[in-house]
Coordinates of all heavy atoms in Angstrom, one line a residue:
M1 N 13.4 -12.9 7.1 CA 12.3 -13.7 6.7 C 11.1 -12.9 6.4 O 10.3 -13.2 5.5 CB 12.0 -14.8 7.8 CG 11.0 -15.8 7.3 SD 11.7 -16.8 6.1 CE 10.5 -18.1 6.1
E2 N 10.9 -11.8 7.1 CA 9.7 -10.9 6.9 C 9.6 -10.4 5.5 O 8.5 -10.3 4.9 CB 9.7 -9.8 7.9 CG 8.4 -9.1 8.0 CD 8.3 -8.1 9.2 OE1 9.3 -7.9 9.8 OE2 7.2 -7.7 9.4
I3 N 10.7 -9.9 4.9 CA 10.7 -9.4 3.5 C 10.2 -10.5 2.6 O 9.4 -10.2 1.7 CB 12.1 -8.8 3.1 CG1 12.4 -7.5 3.8 CG2 12.1 -8.6 1.6 CD1 13.7 -6.9 3.5
K4 N 10.7 -11.7 2.7 CA 10.2 -12.8 1.9 C 8.7 -13.0 2.0 O 8.1 -13.2 0.9 CB 11.0 -14.1 2.2 CG 12.4 -14.1 1.8 CD 13.0 -15.5 2.1 CE 14.5 -15.5 1.7 NZ 15.1 -16.8 2.0
E5 N 8.2 -12.9 3.1 CA 6.7 -13.1 3.3 C 6.0 -11.9 2.6 O 5.0 -12.2 2.0 CB 6.4 -13.1 4.8 CG 6.9 -14.3 5.6 CD 6.6 -14.2 7.0 OE1 5.5 -13.8 7.4 OE2 7.5 -14.6 7.8
V6 N 6.5 -10.7 2.8 CA 5.8 -9.6 2.2 C 5.8 -9.7 0.6 O 4.8 -9.6 0.0 CB 6.5 -8.2 2.6 CG1 6.0 -7.1 1.7 CG2 6.3 -7.9 4.0
M7 N 7.0 -10.1 0.1 CA 7.1 -10.3 -1.3 C 6.2 -11.4 -1.8 O 5.6 -11.3 -2.9 CB 8.6 -10.6 -1.7 CG 9.5 -9.4 -1.5 SD 11.3 -9.8 -1.7 CE 11.3 -10.2 -3.4
Q8 N 6.1 -12.5 -1.1 CA 5.3 -13.6 -1.5 C 3.8 -13.2 -1.5 O 3.0 -13.6 -2.4 CB 5.5 -14.8 -0.6 CG 4.7 -16.1 -1.0 CD 5.1 -16.5 -2.4 OE1 6.3 -16.7 -2.7 NE2 4.1 -16.6 -3.3
N9 N 3.4 -12.5 -0.4 CA 2.0 -12.0 -0.4 C 1.6 -11.1 -1.5 O 0.6 -11.2 -2.1 CB 1.7 -11.3 1.0 CG 1.7 -12.3 2.1 OD1 1.8 -13.5 2.0 ND2 1.5 -11.7 3.3
V10 N 2.6 -10.2 -1.9 CA 2.3 -9.3 -3.0 C 2.3 -10.1 -4.3 O 1.4 -9.9 -5.1 CB 3.4 -8.2 -3.1 CG1 3.3 -7.5 -4.4 CG2 3.3 -7.3 -1.9
N11 N 3.2 -11.1 -4.5 CA 3.1 -12.0 -5.7 C 1.8 -12.7 -5.8 O 1.1 -12.7 -6.8 CB 4.2 -13.0 -5.6 CG 5.5 -12.5 -6.3 OD1 5.5 -11.9 -7.3 ND2 6.6 -12.8 -5.7
D12 N 1.3 -13.3 -4.6 CA 0.1 -14.0 -4.6 C -1.1 -13.1 -5.0 O -2.0 -13.4 -5.7 CB -0.2 -14.6 -3.2 CG 0.8 -15.7 -2.9 OD1 1.5 -16.2 -3.8 OD2 0.9 -16.1 -1.7
F13 N -1.1 -11.9 -4.4 CA -2.2 -10.9 -4.6 C -2.3 -10.5 -6.1 O -3.3 -10.6 -6.7 CB -2.0 -9.6 -3.8 CG -3.0 -8.6 -4.0 CD1 -4.2 -8.5 -3.3 CD2 -2.8 -7.6 -5.0 CE1 -5.1 -7.6 -3.5 CE2 -3.8 -6.6 -5.2 CZ -4.9 -6.6 -4.5
F14 N -1.1 -10.2 -6.7 CA -1.1 -9.8 -8.1 C -1.5 -11.0 -9.0 O -2.2 -10.8 -10.0 CB 0.3 -9.2 -8.5 CG 0.3 -7.7 -8.4 CD1 0.4 -7.2 -7.1 CD2 0.2 -6.9 -9.5 CE1 0.3 -5.8 -6.9 CE2 0.1 -5.5 -9.3 CZ 0.2 -5.0 -8.0
E15 N -1.0 -12.2 -8.7 CA -1.4 -13.4 -9.5 C -2.9 -13.6 -9.5 O -3.5 -13.9 -10.5 CB -0.8 -14.7 -8.8 CG 0.7 -14.9 -9.1 CD 0.9 -15.6 -10.4 OE1 0.0 -16.2 -11.0 OE2 2.1 -15.7 -10.8
E16 N -3.5 -13.3 -8.4 CA -5.0 -13.6 -8.2 C -5.8 -12.4 -8.8 O -6.9 -12.6 -9.4 CB -5.4 -13.8 -6.8 CG -6.8 -14.1 -6.6 CD -7.1 -14.5 -5.1 OE1 -6.2 -14.8 -4.3 OE2 -8.3 -14.4 -4.8
H17 N -5.4 -11.2 -8.6 CA -6.2 -10.0 -8.9 C -5.8 -9.1 -10.1 O -6.7 -8.4 -10.6 CB -6.4 -9.1 -7.6 CG -6.9 -9.8 -6.5 ND1 -8.2 -10.2 -6.4 CD2 -6.3 -10.3 -5.3 CE1 -8.5 -10.9 -5.2 NE2 -7.3 -10.9 -4.6
V18 N -4.6 -9.2 -10.5 CA -4.1 -8.2 -11.5 C -3.5 -9.0 -12.7 O -4.1 -9.2 -13.7 CB -3.1 -7.2 -10.9 CG1 -2.7 -6.2 -12.0 CG2 -3.7 -6.5 -9.7
A19 N -2.3 -9.4 -12.5 CA -1.6 -10.2 -13.5 C -0.3 -10.7 -12.9 O 0.2 -10.2 -11.9 CB -1.2 -9.3 -14.7
P20 N 0.2 -11.8 -13.4 CA 1.4 -12.4 -12.8 C 2.6 -11.4 -12.8 O 2.9 -10.8 -13.8 CB 1.8 -13.6 -13.7 CG 0.5 -13.9 -14.3 CD -0.2 -12.6 -14.5
P21 N 3.2 -11.2 -11.6 CA 4.4 -10.3 -11.6 C 5.5 -10.8 -12.4 O 5.8 -12.0 -12.5 CB 4.7 -10.2 -10.1 CG 3.5 -10.7 -9.4 CD 2.9 -11.7 -10.3
H22 N 6.2 -9.9 -13.0 CA 7.5 -10.2 -13.7 C 8.7 -10.1 -12.7 O 9.5 -11.1 -12.7 CB 7.7 -9.2 -14.9 CG 9.0 -9.4 -15.6 ND1 9.4 -10.5 -16.2 CD2 10.0 -8.5 -15.7 CE1 10.6 -10.3 -16.7 NE2 11.0 -9.1 -16.4
K23 N 8.7 -9.0 -12.0 CA 9.9 -8.8 -11.1 C 9.5 -7.8 -10.1 O 9.0 -6.7 -10.4 CB 11.1 -8.4 -11.9 CG 12.3 -8.0 -11.2 CD 13.5 -7.6 -12.0 CE 13.3 -7.4 -13.5 NZ 14.5 -6.9 -14.2
I24 N 9.9 -8.0 -8.8 CA 9.8 -7.0 -7.8 C 11.2 -6.2 -7.8 O 12.2 -6.8 -7.7 CB 9.6 -7.6 -6.4 CG1 8.2 -8.2 -6.3 CG2 9.7 -6.5 -5.3 CD1 7.8 -8.9 -5.0
T25 N 11.1 -4.9 -8.0 CA 12.3 -4.1 -8.2 C 12.7 -3.3 -6.9 O 13.8 -2.8 -6.9 CB 12.2 -3.2 -9.4 OG1 11.0 -2.3 -9.2 CG2 12.0 -4.0 -10.7
A26 N 11.8 -3.2 -6.0 CA 12.1 -2.4 -4.7 C 11.2 -2.9 -3.6 O 10.0 -3.1 -3.8 CB 12.0 -0.9 -5.0
V27 N 11.8 -3.0 -2.4 CA 11.1 -3.2 -1.2 C 11.6 -2.3 -0.1 O 12.8 -2.3 0.1 CB 11.2 -4.7 -0.7 CG1 10.5 -5.0 0.6 CG2 10.8 -5.7 -1.8
E28 N 10.8 -1.5 0.5 CA 11.2 -0.6 1.5 C 10.3 -0.7 2.7 O 9.0 -0.8 2.6 CB 11.2 0.8 1.0 CG 12.1 1.1 -0.2 CD 11.9 2.5 -0.7 OE1 10.7 2.9 -1.0 OE2 12.9 3.2 -0.9
A29 N 10.8 -0.6 3.9 CA 10.0 -0.5 5.1 C 9.4 0.9 5.1 O 10.1 1.9 5.0 CB 10.9 -0.7 6.4
G30 N 8.1 0.9 5.3 CA 7.3 2.2 5.2 C 7.1 2.7 6.6 O 7.6 2.2 7.6
E31 N 6.2 3.7 6.7 CA 5.8 4.3 7.9 C 4.9 3.3 8.7 O 4.2 2.5 8.1 CB 5.1 5.6 7.7 CG 6.0 6.6 7.1 CD 5.3 7.9 6.8 OE1 4.3 8.2 7.5 OE2 5.8 8.7 6.0
E32 N 4.8 3.4 10.0 CA 3.9 2.6 10.8 C 4.1 1.1 10.5 O 3.1 0.4 10.4 CB 2.5 3.1 10.6 CG 2.3 4.5 11.0 CD 0.9 5.0 10.8 OE1 0.0 4.1 10.8 OE2 0.7 6.2 10.6
E33 N 5.3 0.6 10.4 CA 5.6 -0.8 10.2 C 5.0 -1.4 9.0 O 4.9 -2.7 8.9 CB 5.1 -1.6 11.5 CG 5.7 -1.1 12.8 CD 5.1 -1.9 13.9 OE1 4.9 -3.1 13.8 OE2 4.9 -1.3 15.0
G34 N 4.6 -0.7 8.0 CA 4.2 -1.2 6.7 C 5.3 -1.3 5.7 O 6.5 -1.1 6.1
W35 N 5.0 -1.6 4.5 CA 6.0 -1.8 3.4 C 5.5 -1.1 2.1 O 4.3 -1.0 1.9 CB 6.2 -3.3 3.1 CG 6.7 -4.0 4.3 CD1 5.9 -4.6 5.3 CD2 8.0 -4.4 4.6 NE1 6.7 -5.2 6.2 CE2 8.0 -5.1 5.8 CE3 9.2 -4.1 4.0 CZ2 9.2 -5.6 6.4 CZ3 10.4 -4.6 4.6 CH2 10.3 -5.3 5.8
N36 N 6.5 -0.7 1.3 CA 6.2 -0.1 0.0 C 7.1 -0.9 -1.0 O 8.2 -1.1 -0.8 CB 6.6 1.4 0.0 CG 5.8 2.2 0.9 OD1 4.6 2.1 1.0 ND2 6.5 3.0 1.7
L37 N 6.4 -1.3 -2.0 CA 7.1 -2.1 -3.1 C 6.9 -1.5 -4.4 O 5.8 -0.9 -4.7 CB 6.6 -3.6 -3.1 CG 6.9 -4.4 -1.9 CD1 5.9 -4.2 -0.8 CD2 7.0 -5.9 -2.3
T38 N 7.8 -1.8 -5.3 CA 7.6 -1.5 -6.7 C 7.8 -2.8 -7.5 O 8.7 -3.5 -7.2 CB 8.7 -0.4 -7.2 OG1 8.6 0.7 -6.3 CG2 8.4 0.0 -8.6
L39 N 6.9 -3.0 -8.4 CA 7.1 -4.2 -9.2 C 6.7 -4.0 -10.6 O 6.0 -3.1 -11.0 CB 6.3 -5.4 -8.6 CG 4.8 -5.3 -8.5 CD1 4.2 -6.4 -9.5 CD2 4.3 -5.6 -7.1
E40 N 7.1 -4.9 -11.5 CA 6.8 -4.9 -12.9 C 5.9 -6.1 -13.2 O 6.1 -7.2 -12.7 CB 8.1 -5.1 -13.7 CG 9.1 -3.9 -13.5 CD 10.4 -4.1 -14.2 OE1 10.7 -5.3 -14.7 OE2 11.1 -3.2 -14.4
V41 N 4.9 -5.8 -14.1 CA 3.9 -6.8 -14.5 C 3.9 -6.8 -16.0 O 3.8 -5.7 -16.6 CB 2.5 -6.5 -13.9 CG1 1.5 -7.4 -14.5 CG2 2.5 -6.6 -12.4
I42 N 3.9 -8.0 -16.6 CA 3.8 -8.0 -18.1 C 2.3 -7.9 -18.4 O 1.4 -8.6 -17.9 CB 4.3 -9.4 -18.6 CG1 5.8 -9.4 -18.4 CG2 4.0 -9.5 -20.1 CD1 6.5 -10.7 -18.7
E43 N 2.0 -6.8 -19.2 CA 0.6 -6.5 -19.5 C 0.2 -7.1 -20.8 O 1.0 -7.1 -21.8 CB 0.5 -4.9 -19.6 CG 0.9 -4.2 -18.4 CD -0.1 -4.1 -17.3 OE1 -1.2 -4.6 -17.5 OE2 0.2 -3.6 -16.2
E44 N -1.0 -7.6 -20.9 CA -1.6 -8.2 -22.1 C -0.6 -9.0 -22.9 O -0.4 -8.8 -24.1 CB -2.1 -7.0 -23.0 CG -3.1 -6.2 -22.3 CD -3.6 -5.0 -23.1 OE1 -3.6 -5.1 -24.3 OE2 -4.0 -4.0 -22.5
K45 N 0.0 -10.0 -22.3 CA 1.0 -10.9 -22.9 C 0.5 -11.5 -24.2 O 1.2 -11.6 -25.2 CB 1.5 -11.9 -21.9 CG 2.6 -12.7 -22.3 CD 3.1 -13.6 -21.2 CE 4.4 -14.3 -21.6 NZ 4.9 -15.0 -20.5
E46 N -0.7 -12.1 -24.1 CA -1.2 -12.9 -25.3 C -1.5 -11.9 -26.5 O -1.2 -12.3 -27.6 CB -2.5 -13.6 -24.9 CG -2.3 -14.7 -23.9 CD -1.2 -15.7 -24.3 OE1 -1.2 -16.1 -25.5 OE2 -0.4 -16.0 -23.4
Y47 N -2.0 -10.8 -26.3 CA -2.2 -9.8 -27.3 C -0.9 -9.4 -28.0 O -0.8 -9.4 -29.2 CB -2.9 -8.5 -26.8 CG -3.0 -7.4 -27.8 CD1 -4.1 -7.4 -28.7 CD2 -2.1 -6.4 -27.8 CE1 -4.2 -6.4 -29.6 CE2 -2.2 -5.4 -28.8 CZ -3.2 -5.4 -29.7 OH -3.3 -4.4 -30.6
M48 N 0.1 -9.1 -27.2 CA 1.4 -8.7 -27.7 C 2.0 -9.9 -28.5 O 2.6 -9.6 -29.6 CB 2.3 -8.3 -26.6 CG 1.8 -7.1 -25.8 SD 1.2 -5.7 -26.8 CE 2.7 -4.9 -27.0
K49 N 1.9 -11.1 -28.0 CA 2.5 -12.2 -28.8 C 1.8 -12.4 -30.1 O 2.4 -12.7 -31.1 CB 2.4 -13.5 -27.9 CG 3.4 -13.6 -26.8 CD 3.2 -14.7 -25.9 CE 3.5 -16.1 -26.4 NZ 3.4 -17.1 -25.4
K50 N 0.5 -12.3 -30.1 CA -0.3 -12.5 -31.3 C 0.1 -11.5 -32.4 O 0.1 -11.9 -33.6 CB -1.8 -12.3 -31.0 CG -2.7 -12.5 -32.1 CD -4.2 -12.3 -31.7 CE -5.1 -12.5 -32.9 NZ -6.5 -12.3 -32.5
Y51 N 0.4 -10.3 -32.1 CA 0.8 -9.3 -33.0 C 2.3 -9.1 -33.1 O 2.7 -8.1 -33.7 CB 0.0 -8.0 -32.8 CG -1.4 -8.1 -33.0 CD1 -2.3 -8.3 -31.9 CD2 -2.0 -8.2 -34.2 CE1 -3.7 -8.5 -32.0 CE2 -3.4 -8.4 -34.4 CZ -4.2 -8.5 -33.3 OH -5.5 -8.7 -33.5
A52 N 3.0 -10.0 -32.6 CA 4.5 -10.0 -32.6 C 5.1 -8.6 -32.2 O 6.0 -8.1 -32.8 CB 5.0 -10.3 -34.0
K53 N 4.5 -8.1 -31.1 CA 5.0 -6.9 -30.6 C 5.8 -7.1 -29.3 O 5.7 -8.2 -28.7 CB 3.8 -6.0 -30.2 CG 2.8 -5.7 -31.3 CD 3.2 -4.4 -32.0 CE 2.2 -4.0 -33.0 NZ 2.6 -2.9 -33.8
D54 N 6.6 -6.2 -29.0 CA 7.4 -6.3 -27.7 C 6.4 -6.3 -26.5 O 5.4 -5.6 -26.6 CB 8.3 -5.1 -27.6 CG 9.4 -5.2 -26.6 OD1 9.5 -6.3 -26.0 OD2 10.1 -4.2 -26.3
E55 N 6.8 -7.0 -25.5 CA 5.9 -7.1 -24.3 C 5.9 -5.7 -23.6 O 6.9 -5.0 -23.6 CB 6.4 -8.1 -23.3 CG 6.3 -9.5 -23.8 CD 6.8 -10.5 -22.8 OE1 7.7 -10.2 -22.0 OE2 6.3 -11.7 -22.9
M56 N 4.7 -5.4 -23.0 CA 4.6 -4.2 -22.3 C 4.7 -4.5 -20.8 O 4.1 -5.5 -20.3 CB 3.2 -3.5 -22.5 CG 2.9 -3.2 -23.9 SD 3.9 -1.8 -24.5 CE 3.3 -0.4 -23.6
L57 N 5.5 -3.7 -20.1 CA 5.6 -3.8 -18.6 C 4.9 -2.7 -17.9 O 5.1 -1.5 -18.2 CB 7.1 -3.7 -18.2 CG 8.0 -4.9 -18.5 CD1 9.4 -4.7 -18.0 CD2 7.5 -6.2 -17.8
G58 N 4.0 -3.1 -17.0 CA 3.4 -2.1 -16.1 C 4.2 -2.0 -14.9 O 4.7 -3.0 -14.3
I59 N 4.5 -0.8 -14.5 CA 5.3 -0.5 -13.3 C 4.3 -0.1 -12.2 O 3.6 0.9 -12.3 CB 6.3 0.6 -13.5 CG1 7.1 0.4 -14.7 CG2 7.2 0.8 -12.2 CD1 7.9 -0.8 -14.9
Y60 N 4.2 -0.9 -11.1 CA 3.2 -0.7 -10.0 C 3.9 -0.3 -8.7 O 5.0 -0.9 -8.4 CB 2.4 -2.0 -9.8 CG 1.4 -2.2 -10.9 CD1 1.8 -2.8 -12.1 CD2 0.1 -1.9 -10.8 CE1 0.9 -3.1 -13.1 CE2 -0.8 -2.1 -11.8 CZ -0.4 -2.7 -12.9 OH -1.3 -3.0 -13.9
E61 N 3.2 0.5 -8.0 CA 3.6 0.9 -6.6 C 2.6 0.2 -5.7 O 1.4 0.3 -6.0 CB 3.5 2.4 -6.4 CG 3.8 2.9 -5.0 CD 3.7 4.4 -5.0 OE1 2.6 4.9 -4.7 OE2 4.8 5.0 -5.1
V62 N 3.0 -0.5 -4.7 CA 2.2 -1.3 -3.8 C 2.4 -1.0 -2.4 O 3.6 -0.9 -1.9 CB 2.4 -2.8 -4.0 CG1 1.4 -3.7 -3.2 CG2 2.4 -3.2 -5.5
A63 N 1.4 -0.8 -1.6 CA 1.5 -0.5 -0.2 C 1.0 -1.8 0.6 O 0.0 -2.4 0.2 CB 0.6 0.7 0.3
V64 N 1.7 -2.2 1.6 CA 1.4 -3.4 2.4 C 1.4 -3.0 3.8 O 2.3 -2.2 4.3 CB 2.5 -4.5 2.1 CG1 2.2 -5.7 3.0 CG2 2.5 -4.9 0.7
N65 N 0.4 -3.4 4.6 CA 0.3 -3.0 6.0 C 1.2 -3.9 6.9 O 1.9 -4.8 6.4 CB -1.1 -3.0 6.5 CG -1.8 -4.3 6.5 OD1 -1.1 -5.4 6.5 ND2 -3.1 -4.3 6.6
K66 N 1.2 -3.6 8.2 CA 2.0 -4.4 9.1 C 1.7 -5.8 9.2 O 2.4 -6.7 9.6 CB 2.0 -3.7 10.5 CG 0.7 -3.7 11.2 CD 0.7 -3.1 12.5 CE -0.7 -3.1 13.2 NZ -0.7 -2.5 14.5
D67 N 0.4 -6.2 8.8 CA 0.0 -7.6 8.7 C 0.3 -8.3 7.4 O -0.1 -9.4 7.2 CB -1.5 -7.7 9.0 CG -1.9 -7.2 10.4 OD1 -1.1 -7.4 11.3 OD2 -3.0 -6.5 10.5
K68 N 1.1 -7.6 6.6 CA 1.6 -8.1 5.3 C 0.5 -8.3 4.3 O 0.6 -9.1 3.4 CB 2.4 -9.4 5.5 CG 3.6 -9.2 6.5 CD 4.3 -10.5 6.7 CE 5.3 -10.5 7.8 NZ 4.7 -10.6 9.1
E69 N -0.5 -7.4 4.4 CA -1.7 -7.5 3.5 C -1.6 -6.3 2.5 O -1.2 -5.2 3.0 CB -3.0 -7.4 4.2 CG -3.2 -8.5 5.1 CD -4.4 -8.3 6.0 OE1 -4.8 -7.1 6.3 OE2 -5.0 -9.3 6.5
V70 N -1.8 -6.5 1.2 CA -1.8 -5.4 0.3 C -3.0 -4.5 0.6 O -4.1 -4.9 0.7 CB -2.0 -5.9 -1.2 CG1 -2.1 -4.8 -2.2 CG2 -0.7 -6.8 -1.5
T71 N -2.7 -3.2 0.8 CA -3.8 -2.2 1.1 C -4.1 -1.3 -0.1 O -5.1 -0.8 -0.1 CB -3.4 -1.4 2.3 OG1 -2.1 -0.7 2.1 CG2 -3.3 -2.3 3.6
S72 N -3.1 -1.2 -1.0 CA -3.4 -0.4 -2.2 C -2.3 -0.6 -3.2 O -1.2 -1.1 -2.9 CB -3.4 1.1 -1.8 OG -2.1 1.6 -1.5
F73 N -2.6 -0.3 -4.4 CA -1.7 -0.4 -5.5 C -2.1 0.5 -6.6 O -3.3 0.9 -6.8 CB -1.5 -1.9 -6.1 CG -2.7 -2.4 -6.8 CD1 -2.8 -2.3 -8.2 CD2 -3.7 -3.0 -6.1 CE1 -3.9 -2.8 -8.9 CE2 -4.8 -3.6 -6.8 CZ -4.9 -3.4 -8.2
K74 N -1.1 1.0 -7.4 CA -1.4 1.8 -8.6 C -0.3 1.7 -9.6 O 0.8 1.5 -9.3 CB -1.6 3.3 -8.2 CG -0.4 4.0 -7.7 CD -0.7 5.5 -7.4 CE 0.6 6.1 -6.8 NZ 0.3 7.5 -6.4
R75 N -0.8 1.7 -10.9 CA 0.2 1.6 -11.9 C 0.8 3.0 -12.2 O 0.1 4.0 -12.4 CB -0.5 1.1 -13.2 CG 0.6 0.9 -14.3 CD 0.0 0.1 -15.5 NE -1.0 0.9 -16.1 CZ -1.8 0.4 -17.1 NH1 -1.7 -0.9 -17.4 NH2 -2.7 1.1 -17.6
L76 N 2.1 3.1 -12.1 CA 2.8 4.4 -12.2 C 3.1 4.6 -13.7 O 3.2 5.8 -14.1 CB 4.1 4.3 -11.4 CG 4.0 4.1 -9.9 CD1 5.4 4.0 -9.3 CD2 3.2 5.2 -9.3
D77 N 3.4 3.6 -14.5 CA 3.9 3.7 -15.8 C 3.7 2.4 -16.6 O 3.4 1.4 -16.0 CB 5.4 4.1 -15.8 CG 5.9 4.6 -17.1 OD1 5.1 5.0 -18.0 OD2 7.1 4.7 -17.3
I78 N 3.7 2.6 -17.9 CA 3.7 1.4 -18.7 C 4.7 1.6 -19.8 O 4.8 2.8 -20.3 CB 2.3 1.1 -19.3 CG1 2.3 -0.3 -20.0 CG2 1.8 2.2 -20.2 CD1 0.9 -0.8 -20.2
R79 N 5.5 0.6 -20.2 CA 6.6 0.8 -21.2 C 6.8 -0.5 -21.9 O 6.5 -1.6 -21.4 CB 7.8 1.3 -20.5 CG 8.5 0.4 -19.6 CD 9.9 0.9 -19.1 NE 10.4 0.0 -18.1 CZ 11.1 -1.1 -18.3 NH1 11.3 -1.5 -19.6 NH2 11.6 -1.9 -17.3
Y80 N 7.5 -0.4 -23.1 CA 7.9 -1.6 -23.7 C 9.0 -2.2 -22.9 O 9.9 -1.5 -22.4 CB 8.4 -1.3 -25.2 CG 7.3 -1.0 -26.1 CD1 7.1 0.3 -26.6 CD2 6.4 -2.0 -26.5 CE1 6.1 0.5 -27.5 CE2 5.4 -1.8 -27.4 CZ 5.2 -0.5 -27.9 OH 4.2 -0.3 -28.8
R81 N 9.0 -3.5 -22.9 CA 10.0 -4.2 -22.1 C 11.5 -3.9 -22.6 O 12.4 -3.8 -21.8 CB 9.8 -5.7 -22.2 CG 10.6 -6.6 -21.3 CD 10.2 -8.0 -21.3 NE 11.0 -8.8 -20.4 CZ 10.9 -10.1 -20.3 NH1 10.0 -10.7 -20.9 NH2 11.7 -10.7 -19.4
S82 N 11.6 -3.7 -23.8 CA 13.0 -3.5 -24.4 C 13.4 -2.0 -24.3 O 14.6 -1.7 -24.5 CB 13.0 -3.9 -25.9 OG 12.1 -3.0 -26.6
K83 N 12.5 -1.1 -23.9 CA 12.9 0.3 -23.7 C 13.9 0.4 -22.6 O 13.7 -0.1 -21.5 CB 11.7 1.1 -23.4 CG 12.0 2.6 -23.3 CD 10.8 3.4 -23.1 CE 11.1 4.9 -22.9 NZ 10.0 5.7 -22.5
I84 N 14.9 1.2 -22.8 CA 16.0 1.4 -21.8 C 15.4 2.4 -20.8 O 14.9 3.5 -21.2 CB 17.3 1.9 -22.4 CG1 17.8 0.9 -23.4 CG2 18.3 2.3 -21.4 CD1 19.0 1.4 -24.2
Q85 N 15.5 2.0 -19.5 CA 15.1 3.0 -18.5 C 16.1 4.0 -18.2 O 17.3 3.8 -18.3 CB 14.8 2.2 -17.2 CG 13.6 1.3 -17.2 CD 13.3 0.7 -15.9 OE1 14.0 -0.2 -15.5 NE2 12.3 1.2 -15.2
N86 N 15.7 5.2 -17.8 CA 16.6 6.3 -17.4 C 17.1 6.1 -16.0 O 16.5 5.6 -15.2 CB 15.9 7.6 -17.5 CG 15.5 7.9 -19.0 OD1 16.1 7.4 -19.9 ND2 14.5 8.7 -19.1

């Protein structure tokens, strides 16, 4: 149940402060009872639709503390959604 709570808190945080998450791709228990997550966010969806371009996905790394609160996040990469990952 704890992983679900962490994932929900991260989803809620990104919905409110960054952009709606597309997909959480990794969840790992971190040091000192915290969590590390990787997630994809669709960037500038309306702009991309307007110009008939492929959606851009931002790949984010997120740190969550033992109280399940987001303590930091950073965008690691941005890519076209259709681009094949290595």
Side-chain angles (χ1 to χ4, degrees):
M1 188 70 167
E2 191 169 11
I3 288 178
K4 287 183 183 181
E5 291 176 44
V6 169
M7 292 171 64
Q8 187 60 55
N9 288 358
V10 170
N11 272 318
D12 292 347
F13 178 88
F14 269 75
E15 283 274 351
E16 185 175 341
H17 301 289
V18 183
H22 172 63
K23 174 178 13 175
I24 293 177
T25 59
V27 179
E28 300 174 307
E31 296 180 20
E32 299 178 26
E33 301 178 38
W35 298 85
N36 298 310
L37 292 85
T38 305
L39 66 112
E40 298 174 344
V41 171
I42 296 175
E43 304 278 357
E44 300 179 27
K45 187 175 187 173
E46 295 307 314
Y47 173 83
M48 301 310 277
K49 283 169 76 172
K50 181 177 178 181
Y51 294 101
K53 302 269 186 188
D54 192 11
E55 291 179 334
M56 299 291 291
L57 285 180
I59 312 302
Y60 286 82
E61 177 180 86
V62 184
V64 177
N65 65 17
K66 65 182 179 180
D67 297 322
K68 303 176 191 83
E69 299 169 333
V70 173
T71 57
S72 69
F73 68 92
K74 66 180 174 180
R75 186 168 62 191
L76 302 175
D77 194 13
I78 190 166
R79 65 174 175 84
Y80 286 110
R81 187 173 180 180
S82 62
K83 182 180 177 188
I84 298 172
Q85 287 184 288
N86 296 336

